[in-house]
Amino acid sequence: MKRARPTPPPATPTTSRSSPIPPLPTPPQPRHSSKKHQKIIFKPTNWAPVNLTQSELSLPLTFPTGQTFRWKQTGPLQYTGSLGRHLISLKHHQNGDVYYQIHHSPSQSAAKSALLSFLNTNISLTEMWHGFAAADSRFAELAQHFKGARVLRQDPLECLIQFLCSSNNNISRITKMVDFVSSLGDHLGNVEGFEFHAFPSLERLALVTEQQLREAGFGYRAKYVTGTVNALQSKPEGGVKWLESLRKLQLQMVIDSLCTLPGIGLKVASCIALFSLDQHHAIPVDTHVWRIATTHLVPELAGASLTPKLCGRVADAFVTKYGKYAGWAQTLLFIAELPSQKALLPSVTVNEKKSSKKRGSKAQRPNSTEEGGRQAD
């Protein structure tokens, strides 16, 4: 599975059920659907500050970097997505500060509250990074060029389904699959040619059969989606409440609990834990993170094959180095490995390139067909 990693802009998925259900809709087109929708126009005065500077939140370094596949770029330095039944846009003001616009919501105060929670605004990225920089000179150097790479706090069900879709997949296909699932939810509006929906409820997802998902291009992932939905529905307290309860547990218990669901292994569980369950020191270890770790944290493991046991050693190394927010540090280091971002770096990367040449064929390469793919279980 991939914590798939699309290319961020430079600087700036069993059992068929016998009961008939309506066929699934065609996945929405990524841009400018042929259907005629009234285009929503907003005045600048409708935008309000989030009270986050660009150093606290960089939209291009946060949204297109594999954490979520439901937010769309709807303008220069502008991204739009749904949080529950709230449709919201975020954009950078000329001075870099982040502003938001609520396009649709049953309650504007609830929408703002959902947005602040989603953005983890109770955590100061600047203060956190000061601590990381003090512990790691390389992080200190990279942080100067990638300010604002923030970890999101997503809805657990949304996050889980998205990462099931990303298993051994590429970015464009993951996005189409996630768009397909999203289209099953209530329609919230159109922004700049994109159709937005509330994420479907667990009950709505339970009406979807494995065969329907296969016909929609999910492949083997279809059985994992339907299997996981069934497993969640069987929880006595309800699947959504069960997922939310994981936020109160220790990381290992969270990982073990998630791994009882079909299609979820260690790396997928770690992604879900980090991006939706408040497990800030969770480390999703794929070939990208493995390469970072064996170059800078545990060089003695260079040339070894990545195994579950070694994944644990890598995760421990990150936590030892960066502490209780190690997952946030790993996110910045992950983004800095993108070729499109490396090209923007000064001579700080020279020594890394020389080191890479010395490792030669021993260095493991990702199998992703697109830049930034996170390898799956």
Side-chain angles (χ1 to χ4, degrees):
M1 136 112 212
K2 301 181 177 181
R3 165 181 154 198
R5 209 156 121 182
T7 305
T12 47
T14 307
T15 305
S16 296
R17 295 170 179 76
S18 57
S19 56
I21 68 172
L24 295 179
T26 300
Q29 296 299 313
R31 247 187 214 286
H32 305 297
S33 170
S34 58
K35 296 181 180 180
K36 293 183 178 180
H37 296 277
Q38 184 176 0
K39 191 172 183 179
I40 305 172
I41 301 175
F42 310 102
K43 297 180 180 179
T45 53
N46 289 334
W47 293 88
V50 181
N51 295 322
L52 288 175
T53 65
Q54 192 165 12
S55 293
E56 284 291 331
L57 173 60
S58 167
L59 301 177
L61 292 177
T62 299
F63 285 98
T65 53
Q67 294 188 55
T68 177
F69 302 93
R70 282 179 33 83
W71 283 67
K72 311 297 184 183
Q73 185 170 3
T74 51
L77 298 178
Q78 177 178 318
Y79 294 82
T80 303
S82 65
L83 300 174
R85 299 192 60 80
H86 316 295
L87 179 57
I88 302 174
S89 281
L90 293 166
K91 74 174 179 180
H92 283 292
H93 190 268
Q94 289 182 344
N95 65 1
D97 290 353
V98 181
Y99 280 61
Y100 73 98
Q101 165 66 51
I102 301 173
H103 305 316
H104 171 92
S105 175
S107 166
Q108 292 204 3
S109 61
K112 184 175 182 181
S113 178
L115 176 62
L116 298 181
S117 173
F118 174 68
L119 295 176
N120 268 317
T121 56
N122 62 313
I123 298 175
S124 172
L125 192 64
T126 304
E127 292 181 6
M128 181 194 304
W129 281 20
H130 279 319
F132 295 159
D136 182 2
S137 59
R138 177 172 176 268
F139 186 98
E141 179 64 32
L142 292 173
Q144 297 180 37
H145 307 282
F146 302 109
K147 294 179 179 179
R150 176 171 284 271
V151 170
L152 300 171
R153 186 177 191 259
Q154 301 177 60
D155 174 84
L157 179 61
E158 284 189 36
C159 189
L160 184 156
I161 298 299
Q162 289 183 82
F163 279 97
L164 281 177
C165 289
S166 68
S167 176
N168 290 315
N169 217 341
N170 61 54
I171 305 311
S172 60
R173 191 178 181 199
I174 295 168
T175 301
K176 289 179 180 179
M177 291 165 65
V178 172
D179 283 348
F180 187 92
V181 173
S182 298
S183 71
L184 302 176
D186 293 337
H187 183 259
L188 299 181
N190 175 304
V191 180
E192 294 299 330
F194 288 99
E195 301 301 328
F196 291 93
H197 301 75
F199 197 77
S201 65
L202 188 60
E203 291 72 24
R204 176 64 182 97
L205 291 173
L207 296 176
V208 184
T209 66
E210 177 183 338
Q211 182 59 34
Q212 286 176 307
L213 291 177
R214 287 185 177 276
E215 290 174 357
F218 281 61
Y220 71 89
R221 303 166 197 82
K223 65 181 179 183
Y224 294 147
V225 173
T226 56
T228 289
V229 168
N230 289 338
L232 290 174
Q233 282 208 304
S234 71
K235 300 295 181 184
E237 67 272 48
V240 171
K241 287 187 177 180
W242 179 80
L243 284 170
E244 292 176 344
S245 72
L246 299 182
R247 287 174 167 166
K248 301 176 183 179
L249 303 182
Q250 295 296 314
L251 176 58
Q252 192 56 55
M253 295 181 67
V254 172
I255 297 296
D256 292 344
S257 297
L258 289 172
C259 286
T260 64
L261 300 174
I264 296 182
L266 177 58
K267 291 187 289 294
V268 178
S270 297
C271 285
I272 298 167
L274 176 61
F275 301 135
S276 70
L277 297 176
D278 299 337
Q279 302 296 327
H280 303 298
H281 60 298
I283 307 295
V285 182
D286 60 5
T287 55
H288 300 281
V289 174
W290 171 254
R291 185 166 58 244
I292 294 169
T294 55
T295 301
H296 303 287
L297 296 176
V298 281
E300 66 273 16
L301 296 182
S305 297
L306 182 55
T307 64
K309 183 177 180 179
L310 291 185
C311 281
R313 285 189 61 181
V314 168
D316 289 344
F318 270 94
V319 174
T320 298
K321 187 77 170 181
Y322 302 107
K324 66 180 183 179
Y325 287 100
W328 291 57
Q330 174 256 183
T331 297
L332 178 278
L333 299 174
F334 181 79
I335 293 170
E337 287 294 303
L338 293 171
S340 60
Q341 300 301 326
K342 272 191 170 183
L344 303 177
L345 292 173
S347 58
V348 66
T349 58
V350 172
N351 291 334
E352 295 178 29
K353 292 178 180 178
K354 290 181 179 179
S355 175
S356 177
K357 288 182 180 180
K358 288 180 180 180
R359 292 195 305 274
S361 61
K362 290 185 179 180
Q364 293 200 2
R365 302 292 180 184
N367 297 319
S368 172
T369 58
E370 295 187 31
E371 180 191 334
R374 283 242 179 194
Q375 297 311 301
D377 292 89

